Structures are given as C-alpha cells and as structure tokens.
Amino acid sequence: MHQFLSYSFSGLATSAIYAVAAAGLVLTYTTTGTFNFAHGATGMVAAFTYWQLRFGWHWPAAVALFVVLLILAPLFGALLDALVMRRLEGAPEATRLVVTISVLVGLLGAALWVWKPDAPRPVRAFYQGRFVHLAGVRVPYSQVIALLVAAAVAGGLRVLLYRLRIGIAMRAAVDDRALTRLSGARPDRGSMLAWAIGASLAALSGILIAPTLNVSALPLTLLIVNAYAAAMIGRLRSLPMTFVGALVLGMSNEYLPDYLRKAGVGSRFLEGMYLSIPVIILFIVLLVLPDSRLRGHQVARGREIVPMPLLGGSLVFVAVVVAGAAMVAGVVGRADLENISRVFGIAIIGISLVPLVGFAGQLSLCQLSFAGIGAVVMAHAGAGGNPFGLIAAAAVAGAVGALVALPALRLSGIYLALATGAFAVTMDRWIFPFPAFSIGHHRFDLFQEGSLTIPRPHLFALRFDGQRAEFVLMAVGFSICALVVVAIRRSTFGARLLAMKDSPAACATLGLNVTRTKLTVFAMSAAMAGFGGALYGGAIRVAAASQFDFFTGLPILLVMVICGIGM
C-alpha cells in the first residue's frame, strides 16, 4: 500500500507537468488554429536557459524564473507569432505544420550549438530535501508545487477563455478572423497573447520536469512531446479533458512498468515498451477518436501547383545524373565519394515523400523509420551482396507502411502527422533497440548494438564493393526512383492523388475509393523509403539506430518542402 501511494503521488506530479505543457498546446490551437510541433522544443530551450541563469551564472531562483517565464518565453512566443505564424493565415494546414516543425528543428539545433550535449547539467528540484507527509508517504515539496501550479494554470486559463473579453475574442478569431475584426475585436493582439502564454507554459513545464534528469536536448524535447497525448484526449479543445488525459498519462507512466514486471511481464524485450508508454497511448487515442468528416475544397491564400513533368525531359535528367555521377567518380577522391554517396541515399528517402506529401497531401513524419527498416532487412536478407536484399527491403518496408497506414486511414492533417510521429518514436525507443532473438535457426540482432554491417549489393557479375562503383550505383538507384515518381504523376493514379488532396469529399462523391488510394500511396512511399534506406546503409556500411531516429528525419521533410515537395 505504501508503494502504491508513493507511485500515486509521483504520478500526480508527472500528470501535473504534462497538464501544464498540454494546456499551453491546447491554448495555442484553440485560439489560433495552429498545432505547434515546436511546443516541446520551446520548453527544452527554456529549461536550458533556466539552468544557465540559475546554476551556470548562479542567479537567485526567483530572478531566473521571472526572467525565463515572464520575459524571455513570452517574448519568444510573441515574436514567433508576429514574424512567422501571422504570415501563414490562409496557408494550407500542411504548410503550417511544416513551419512549426522547422521551428522545432531550429530550436533543437540552436540548443545543441550553444550548450555542449555531452556536458552534465544537474538541476536541483525546488526545495530539494524537504517533504510533506501525506498518508504515511513522504511527498517532496517539488511534487506539491507541480500540483499547485497545474491547478493555478487550469483556473487561470478557464477565466481567460470564458470570462475575459480578450479570451472570447481569441476563440472567435479561429472560426472567422475577418468577422471578428468587424465586431471591433483585434485578433492579431489575441493571437500574440496566445502564443506568448503558450510559450510560457511550455517553459514552465520544461523547468518543472528538468530535475528528473540532467538537462539534455533530445530527452527534454521528447518528454514534453509526451504531453501531446493528453492534448489529443481533450481533442485539442477541451481543457478539462486535457487535464484528465494528463492524469491518465502520468499514472500509466508510473504504474505500468513496475506492475507489469511484478506480474512477470518484465522481459527484456519489453524494456523499450515501458519508455514508449506515452507515445503508445497517443497512437491509441488517435485511432479511437471519432471519424472526421471528409473535407471539401478549402480556399487557401495560394493554390498549390504540381507541375506535370515531361517524359523526355525526365529521361534527359536521369541520363545527366548517371553520366555526371560516372564523370565525378573518375575525378573525385574516394573519401569524398564516400560522403557524396550518402547524399543519393538521403535523396531517395526524400523523393519517397513526393507522392505521399506532394501529390496526396498526407503528412508523414516516419519516413526515416521505414528507411531504417530497409537497412535492417538489407543487412539480414542481403548477406554477401545478394540483390534480393534490395527487393526484400522495399517489400518489408512497404508492408510495414501499409500496416501503419491501415488503422490511420481516416486520419489527416495534424492527426496523421502525430500518428506517424508516434510510430517513429516507438521505433526509436522500443523496436530498433530490440535485443537479439531467434526465429527457427536464424538469429536476428536488429542493429547489433549500434554496429549493424550492411552489405553492398552485387548484380550478377557486377560488383559494387569499390567506392566509385558504389557511387554510380547510388546514382542509378536515385534515377530509377525519380522515374517512378514521374510515372506516378503522369498516370491516372497521380491524378486521383491530386484530386484527393484538393477535395476528398468530391472524390468520394464521384466514386473514388479514398481509403484504398491513401493505403496504396502510403505503402508505395514506404517501399521507396525502404529501398533508399538499403542503399544508404550500404553507403555508410556500418549503421546505428540513431541514424534513423525521429529527429534525424525531420530535416529531410523540411528540405523537400522548401525545395518544392510537388516537383
């Protein structure tokens, strides 16, 4: 009983921190209509800044909190709204999501640049060493503070959104910004206030959760990302349900690992699952959400144009790529060729996004996970350079892509992005670090403790062990994938993808099977990413799971969108 109460109080404190983070996310979405993927990264940077002021420069805790929570974080949120988000009014939802993802990547890169990632940064909890005795259990002051802060945030946001005029105007601006202006309100001011408060709440949650681990960029960002599940339980609109979701999330995170082990489910194969519990809950919540109605055509500020590539021009392009690669291979040193070869592998993974995101408008955040699956399959099925490994890599990655897409077929926009992101993080935390296991007489060790050796394929009498031959092979592989994408765009299937992107409701009315079309393009895109991952793995020869993780894949998506995802 004593242990149960201890877990309960610890779970309540964790739930409170998740609730604070999720409340900021819900506030931003409810009042501006934009889902902020950079919310966790904002909390991470705030935690780093607090550590610098409090423990690096030895400022008093009250002063450091005041500067971070009431000056720097609100200022960052206000500037983000004024300089970036406000200019996206009327932009497609995918564009707004990608912009917030770019802010996430930028903040993560800035944190890794300013604060060296290998340096320990312990953070003392508030009133460390002081406890309150409740029901015979010693509860740290820091946990009590987290609960009180969450209660204050809940009450304050309720008053802001439902009692104050500016809060009501903020909510009204989401439905019709122009009509809100006609009624005398100033939606720009409300939007700026929402982003400022949202950034402050992200900062507060980052500072509260920092004492549970050394201040580190990736863990802090992912820990606050766990709060996304709580926000989704509240459907990004209901603050009470968001707090209920945070309670479920925090308690599950405390209870499940220990009680599953006591029940005899403590297998080493499930260790990664315990770390993935919040992400798994997020995926389940997304799947059980009520079906969303098929949307019709939405009037956007700028219409997206997806040009029709000419067949002759495409053939000339791939011929130039292959011929240019052969010429470069003859004049560039082997060390440089080894680095350049990887570019083609990443390019194949990037071009796999074109049919899915560019043509069909379905945002995926797990493309590099499919590439990782392809690399693993190539390592095990392509032993000795067997070219069957490339085919198996594409087939297995495509099958996994179909399995991921099957339950998420009715999702779109931010829901699909979160579902694919949850899958990617689950692969990072649980599947890729899987210990070795055997099926029949074959032993599988997915990433061989970070040193997975991936062979280069042999095609009949052609061997590609040399760096120059490997470079030309990578160029040929990229050219084949480019021609496949061109063929999709020129086909009737490509026309169906573009029509589905423009108006799924109209497509369904005309008899197009939207579900089958989404499943097909998702599987094709995953298969292409798996093929690219197999070639990329051969280029780097020895791979680690970290090379295929969630955050590593985000810049690929950003570059593709910036360069024109439909081209």
Side-chain angles (χ1 to χ4, degrees):
M1 186 62 181
H2 181 275
Q3 190 175 34
F4 173 79
L5 290 176
S6 179
Y7 284 148
S8 298
F9 288 123
S10 178
L12 285 173
T14 304
S15 300
I17 298 173
Y18 287 159
V20 171
L25 188 65
V26 171
L27 172 68
T28 306
Y29 184 80
T30 303
T31 56
T32 67
T34 299
F35 186 89
N36 183 16
F37 268 99
H39 193 72
T42 303
M44 176 269 298
V45 172
F48 270 98
T49 306
Y50 174 75
W51 175 88
Q52 187 66 55
L53 298 179
R54 177 70 180 91
F55 301 100
W57 296 342
H58 305 290
W59 288 21
V63 176
L65 287 172
F66 179 85
V67 171
V68 174
L69 298 180
L70 299 180
I71 297 178
L72 297 181
L75 181 61
F76 172 77
L79 290 176
L80 184 63
D81 172 66
L83 300 179
V84 181
M85 298 305 169
R86 196 176 301 172
R87 301 174 186 273
L88 297 175
E89 182 181 353
E93 184 179 42
T95 301
R96 286 180 282 149
L97 289 176
V98 168
V99 168
T100 61
I101 291 173
S102 68
V103 176
L104 183 156
V105 174
L107 291 175
L108 188 58
L112 293 175
W113 177 57
V114 175
W115 294 280
K116 293 181 180 180
D118 54 350
R121 297 181 183 85
V123 177
R124 293 193 303 271
F126 296 113
Y127 299 101
Q128 185 168 328
R130 302 183 66 178
F131 301 89
V132 175
H133 292 271
L134 297 174
V137 177
R138 293 201 314 171
V139 182
Y141 269 34
S142 58
Q143 294 184 1
V144 176
I145 290 173
L147 291 171
L148 294 176
V149 166
V153 167
L157 290 180
R158 180 72 183 182
V159 171
L160 171 66
L161 294 176
Y162 294 94
R163 293 291 184 267
L164 299 182
R165 177 180 175 81
I166 189 171
I168 297 172
M170 289 161 62
R171 292 190 294 121
V174 179
D175 296 326
D176 196 323
R177 202 175 186 91
L179 185 59
T180 305
R181 288 193 183 97
L182 292 176
S183 66
R186 301 181 63 179
D188 291 343
R189 178 180 294 179
S191 174
M192 180 177 290
L193 178 62
W195 281 97
I197 296 176
S200 292
L201 292 178
L204 179 58
S205 59
I207 293 172
L208 288 174
I209 208 168
T212 62
L213 71 165
N214 288 334
V215 178
S216 182
L218 288 178
L220 264 177
T221 302
L222 283 175
L223 276 173
I224 301 179
V225 166
N226 293 344
Y228 290 176
M232 294 310 302
I233 290 176
R235 296 298 305 275
L236 292 172
R237 297 187 182 278
S238 170
L239 283 173
M241 286 303 299
T242 297
F243 277 73
V244 171
L247 182 64
V248 171
L249 189 68
M251 291 302 188
S252 300
N253 216 28
E254 290 293 330
Y255 289 145
L256 286 180
D258 189 70
Y259 283 105
L260 285 176
R261 291 189 185 98
K262 288 183 177 180
V265 196
S267 168
R268 58 197 180 103
F269 296 102
L270 298 180
E271 289 297 323
M273 187 198 75
Y274 301 143
L275 300 175
S276 306
I277 287 173
V279 185
I280 294 172
I281 292 176
L282 170 60
F283 193 75
I284 294 173
V285 168
L286 289 167
L287 297 185
V288 300
L289 284 175
D291 290 341
S292 58
R293 296 180 180 178
L294 291 174
R295 60 172 176 83
H297 172 72
Q298 295 179 340
V299 180
R301 184 177 61 190
R303 186 176 177 82
E304 296 177 272
I305 303 298
V306 180
M308 173 72 76
L310 299 176
L311 182 58
S314 302
L315 292 174
V316 170
F317 166 73
V318 298
V320 169
V321 169
V322 175
M327 293 175 60
V328 169
V331 297
V332 176
R334 296 191 176 186
D336 293 327
L337 277 180
E338 184 176 356
N339 291 327
I340 302 174
S341 296
R342 303 175 184 182
V343 175
F344 279 116
I346 295 174
I348 295 173
I349 300 168
I351 206 173
S352 70
L353 288 163
V354 175
L356 183 64
V357 182
F359 299 165
Q362 307 298 312
L363 194 61
S364 170
L365 302 182
C366 62
Q367 217 66 7
L368 201 59
S369 298
F370 295 137
I373 292 172
V376 171
V377 173
M378 182 64 191
H380 291 280
N386 187 346
F388 172 76
L390 290 175
I391 301 174
V396 173
V400 174
L403 290 176
V404 172
L406 193 60
L409 282 176
R410 59 187 180 82
L411 303 177
S412 61
I414 59 173
Y415 301 108
L416 180 60
L418 282 171
T420 54
F423 170 76
V425 175
T426 302
M427 294 293 293
D428 299 342
R429 294 181 177 178
W430 184 16
I431 305 301
F432 284 159
F434 229 49
F437 61 96
S438 298
I439 298 179
H441 298 288
H442 193 83
R443 183 176 183 272
F444 292 92
D445 190 355
L446 296 187
F447 271 93
Q448 298 173 355
E449 298 182 355
S451 58
L452 177 66
T453 302
I454 304 172
R456 294 175 175 178
H458 300 158
L459 300 177
F460 305 108
L462 299 176
R463 303 181 68 86
F464 300 94
D465 295 325
Q467 196 58 54
R468 291 185 172 88
E470 166 71 6
F471 184 72
V472 176
L473 174 66
M474 298 290 287
V476 171
F478 169 76
S479 300
I480 292 172
C481 292
L483 289 177
V484 170
V485 173
V486 169
I488 291 174
R489 175 64 183 89
R490 294 177 58 85
S491 67
T492 56
F493 180 68
R496 292 201 300 271
L497 293 179
L498 292 174
M500 183 180 68
K501 177 182 179 180
D502 189 60
S503 178
C507 291
T509 302
L510 294 175
L512 174 66
N513 191 323
V514 176
T515 299
R516 185 170 60 190
T517 303
K518 289 174 65 175
L519 182 63
T520 302
V521 70
F522 212 104
M524 291 175 60
S525 176
M528 195 180 300
F531 177 77
L535 289 178
Y536 177 70
I540 60 179
R541 290 186 176 271
V542 179
S546 60
Q547 293 172 292
F548 299 95
D549 66 14
F550 171 67
F551 285 112
T552 305
L554 293 181
I556 299 177
L557 172 64
L558 298 183
V559 170
M560 293 301 296
V561 172
I562 291 171
C563 295
I565 190 67
M567 298 184 182

